Amino acid sequence: MTDFGPENGAVPSRSPETPAVFEVSKKPKKNKFALGCAMLASLTSILLGYDFGVMSGAIMFIQDDLRISDVRIEILVGVLNLYCIVGAIAAGKVADWIGRRYTLVLANVIIFVGSLLMGFSVNYAFLMVGRFVAGIGVGFAIMSAVLYNAEISPASSRGFLTSFPEVCINVGILFGYVSNYGFSKLPLSLGWRLMLGIGAIPSAFLVFAVLAMPESPRWLVMQGRLDEAKIVLEKTLDTKEEAQLRLNDIKEAAGIPQDCTGDDVVPNRSHGKGVWRELFLHPTPSVKHVVICAVGIHFFQQSSGVDAVVLYSPRIFEKAGITSSNDKLLATVAVGFVKTIFILVATFFLDKVGRRALLLFSVGGMVASLAALGFSLTIINHSETKIPWAIALCITMVLAFVAFFAVGMGPVTGVYISEIFPLRLRALGVSMGVAVNRVTSGVIAMTFISLYEAITIGGAFFLFAGIASVGWVFFYVCLPETRGKTLEETEKLFGKLVGWREVAKKMKEANANGTTNGQIPLENK
């Protein structure tokens, strides 16, 4: 992270409550402070990825050691997602109460405890308790990392910075796969416990690292701490003039008069009161459009079967004809490596190509690779002998699927949902989206084995391909492009579920003329 102190002898003004960490140089270095903050916030997401990745291989050893059935394995693997719902919903309220930064600290504390409980598990019941605690922490981590990054990032690089949590999830998955391979050489009862328990180490480090970050400027404004918010904005944006303009936008979105100073503002202590009513019971056309898009993008991300591939890669490769445990784990490491490489590629295109174009390209590739994967597994399933080309096609399509997912669908989901909710609804809106994501993921993870036993494994992937096809149509029709717009401008794109293109065209013309800076009047606002 950049130097926090004043540079060139400049002495910035700040309120008495503002920590020295917020001191601003006269000429802040472009985006480096925001980059450092986003990276620290996103590191918490590694723990979610690690848990997913490590469990895919650990279940082989857990099943052998604890002598549990496939049904119990499904529950063990998928139930973390359902526990995440509790954490994500709670995190939305906590983030409005104590702030985004301390919510991240709390997430790491909870994950630390959960990892230790899983590592010291003596039976299945003890292991499930550890999964419950870790799941609460993971729900906190997903929601708070995405929310913090969206609110700390400049519009010009928000896609890049807000995609960091997804990058870290994929890095964590890869670490989990590598941990499976490395600890698999140890005695059976020790190996899987080390695989699960070692996740406590990074969470302990992150508890202290996150405290070096500033609070979100938007949360500070909502608390009436305008001076501190302005200082953070000056550190995370390119110029002080841009920081002042952004501060004005945030004050307007928060319902604070522009002539108010920090001493004049009554802090917002509602902590989400009335937000659920505004989201679901009496939404405006704009909010209704946002909620539909948020629910849809999270649902289709997970119902396309990505967690079935991530969590059950060894079983998929076994169905493809790979019988050696060592070979299955090595093939799974390749899945994690490809997924990580392509998520890194995606971060550089989010702010150049745009969310919408990248999403449509990604989902189109996912549909094709899922269909080909279903075809290859069906051929293998109906053959009594090994068919080398079908096995090769199966492995290739698994890698192609995770690559297409990582280059668009994976990172765009988190970025997009963090951009589209109005300020007053953002924390609980993001937590609602994460809850939908985890419910869908949990259902897929907890039913995949039963599903492929009922309709064959090839049939399962044909089903996922069909769902992804419906998702592509939904994204094409309903989702506006948000690239390059401030969070406050983004609100104006929503309100007409299938007629948003007209609004986007007017906004583009207004910006091109330089007359309204995108602030066009909308009938439904």
Side-chain angles (χ1 to χ4, degrees):
M1 296 180 65
T2 56
D3 181 11
F4 294 122
E7 300 177 46
N8 302 325
V11 182
S13 61
R14 56 187 177 91
S15 67
E17 294 181 3
T18 306
V21 72
F22 294 140
E23 292 187 358
V24 184
S25 64
K26 193 171 183 179
K27 295 181 179 179
K29 296 181 179 179
K30 185 177 181 179
N31 291 337
K32 287 190 176 180
F33 187 79
L35 176 66
C37 293
M39 289 180 67
L40 274 179
S42 302
L43 287 176
T44 304
S45 301
I46 285 182
L47 302 173
L48 166 64
Y50 181 83
D51 189 281
F52 268 65
V54 78
M55 189 56 74
S56 70
I59 55 176
M60 297 191 300
F61 307 105
I62 293 171
Q63 189 166 27
D64 290 342
D65 188 29
L66 300 183
R67 309 284 183 182
I68 55 180
S69 65
D70 279 348
V71 173
R72 284 195 165 191
I73 284 294
E74 282 183 316
I75 294 172
L76 177 66
V77 169
V79 77
L80 181 92
N81 295 287
L82 303 185
Y83 297 150
C84 280
I85 301 168
V86 180
I89 293 175
K93 290 184 174 293
V94 171
D96 279 343
W97 178 33
I98 66 174
R100 287 39 166 160
R101 179 176 57 161
Y102 286 112
T103 305
L104 279 167
V105 172
L106 184 58
N108 283 289
V109 170
I110 298 172
I111 292 173
F112 174 81
V113 174
S115 297
L116 288 182
L117 288 174
M118 289 191 292
F120 286 102
S121 296
V122 295
N123 53 39
Y124 182 77
F126 201 129
L127 187 56
M128 288 294 288
V129 172
R131 292 290 277 173
F132 172 75
V133 176
I136 298 295
V138 166
F140 267 75
I142 299 172
M143 182 271 175
S144 52
V146 171
L147 183 63
Y148 180 87
N149 283 9
E151 294 187 347
I152 204 75
S153 305
S156 59
S157 58
R158 190 173 61 246
F160 177 74
L161 297 181
T162 312
S163 65
F164 275 7
E166 186 69 21
V167 173
C168 289
I169 288 174
N170 283 273
V171 171
I173 290 172
L174 179 58
F175 285 167
Y177 289 159
V178 172
S179 175
N180 287 152
Y181 184 75
F183 289 122
S184 65
K185 315 301 179 185
L186 296 176
L188 180 64
S189 61
L190 177 62
W192 68 264
R193 289 181 170 88
L194 283 176
M195 293 176 193
L196 301 181
I198 202 170
I201 295 176
S203 60
F205 162 76
L206 288 171
V207 166
F208 300 99
V210 168
L211 292 174
M213 303 173 347
E215 184 51 81
S216 156
R218 287 174 174 81
W219 183 81
L220 291 172
V221 169
M222 291 170 67
Q223 302 307 303
R225 294 156 64 178
L226 303 184
D227 293 337
E228 293 178 45
K230 183 178 180 181
I231 291 172
V232 176
L233 287 168
E234 288 176 342
K235 290 291 285 185
T236 56
L237 299 180
D238 298 340
T239 65
K240 290 189 176 183
E241 291 75 16
E242 183 183 357
Q244 184 61 54
L245 289 172
R246 184 67 59 81
L247 179 62
N248 293 341
D249 285 343
I250 298 171
K251 287 166 68 176
E252 181 181 357
I256 298 173
Q258 294 297 334
D259 57 352
C260 278
T261 63
D263 296 332
D264 300 326
V265 179
V266 177
N268 179 359
R269 304 296 186 190
S270 63
H271 309 314
K273 292 180 181 178
V275 170
W276 290 116
R277 185 182 301 109
E278 191 171 349
L279 279 173
F280 297 111
L281 297 181
H282 304 291
T284 63
S286 176
V287 171
K288 188 184 298 183
H289 187 179
V290 167
V291 170
I292 290 172
C293 289
V295 171
I297 195 170
H298 273 295
F299 171 77
F300 285 113
Q301 185 200 52
Q302 293 301 324
S303 61
S304 64
V306 63
D307 279 355
V309 173
V310 170
L311 292 168
Y312 294 102
S313 289
R315 285 184 179 248
I316 295 170
F317 291 130
E318 183 179 349
K319 292 291 184 181
I322 301 174
T323 55
S324 166
S325 294
N326 193 64
D327 291 343
K328 284 187 285 187
L329 291 177
L330 280 175
T332 302
V333 170
V335 170
F337 181 77
V338 169
K339 203 166 184 285
T340 303
I341 291 298
F342 278 88
I343 189 68
L344 291 172
V345 171
T347 61
F348 294 99
F349 285 96
L350 276 165
D351 289 314
K352 295 179 180 178
V353 176
R355 288 64 156 146
R356 178 181 161 82
L358 208 55
L359 183 64
L360 293 175
F361 168 78
S362 169
V363 177
M366 288 164 57
V367 171
S369 55
L370 283 168
L373 178 59
F375 170 76
S376 63
L377 286 169
T378 300
I379 293 295
I380 293 169
N381 193 45
H382 286 80
S383 176
E384 296 181 357
T385 59
K386 285 191 175 182
I387 306 177
W389 68 264
I391 296 174
L393 179 62
C394 174
I395 296 171
T396 302
M397 288 302 102
V398 169
L399 297 177
F401 170 72
V402 297
F404 277 116
F405 178 87
V407 83
M409 188 69 175
V412 168
T413 299
V415 172
Y416 198 83
I417 193 174
S418 68
E419 294 176 327
I420 61 179
F421 281 100
L423 176 62
R424 64 192 179 281
L425 307 178
R426 188 166 299 139
L428 289 180
V430 170
S431 69
M432 178 271 297
V434 171
V436 171
N437 188 291
R438 294 299 91 195
V439 167
T440 311
S441 175
V443 170
I444 296 295
M446 294 174 71
T447 60
F448 179 66
I449 296 175
S450 301
L451 177 66
Y452 76 64
E453 288 177 348
I455 64 173
T456 75
I457 194 164
F461 284 105
F462 281 129
L463 176 61
F464 293 146
I467 294 172
S469 299
V470 175
W472 191 96
V473 175
F474 172 80
F475 299 144
Y476 181 82
V477 172
C478 299
L479 270 64
E481 177 59 70
T482 59
R483 176 174 64 103
K485 296 176 176 61
T486 68
L487 295 178
E488 289 68 36
E489 287 176 337
T490 298
E491 290 185 41
K492 302 183 184 299
L493 286 170
F494 292 84
K496 298 180 180 179
L497 190 61
V498 295
W500 55 266
R501 288 175 178 80
E502 181 183 349
V503 178
K505 183 179 179 181
K506 289 180 180 179
M507 184 178 289
K508 185 176 180 180
E509 291 173 351
N511 284 330
N513 294 333
T515 56
T516 63
N517 195 27
Q519 308 299 313
I520 60 175
L522 296 181
E523 298 83 354
N524 52 20
K525 292 300 287 182

